[in-house]
Amino acid sequence: MHPHTYNLMKAAYSVTETTSLLSLGRTSIYELVKSGELKATKCGRRTLFLATDVAAFLAKLQAGGER
């Protein structure tokens, strides 16, 4: 799924930005990462979420994935 389909205009998002994008709390975001449902990328000490990974997560939800 292309990130622009979900209006994702940046290449990567911070944890705080991702919580806003997905309307989820920080704990829920980290639970999704731990379970493998959402992929996080480290850049030094920062945790980032690539737009392609967020779009893939949203596509899975749209297709009827659990969460």
Side-chain angles (χ1 to χ4, degrees):
M1 186 61 58
H2 197 276
H4 289 191
T5 302
Y6 296 102
N7 234 7
L8 301 173
M9 299 302 168
K10 293 172 59 174
Y13 294 89
S14 69
V15 174
T16 302
E17 291 172 320
T18 304
T19 61
S20 293
L21 284 170
L22 299 179
S23 299
L24 295 171
R26 196 173 191 86
T27 302
S28 295
I29 294 293
Y30 282 113
E31 286 175 358
L32 290 168
V33 171
K34 186 175 180 179
S35 71
E37 295 179 64
L38 179 61
K39 185 179 176 195
T41 302
K42 293 295 276 187
C43 182
R45 292 176 51 183
R46 291 195 63 183
T47 300
L48 297 173
F49 295 90
L50 300 179
T52 53
D53 295 328
V54 174
F57 173 75
L58 291 171
K60 186 169 72 172
L61 284 180
Q62 190 174 17
E66 296 217 6
R67 230 331 130 168

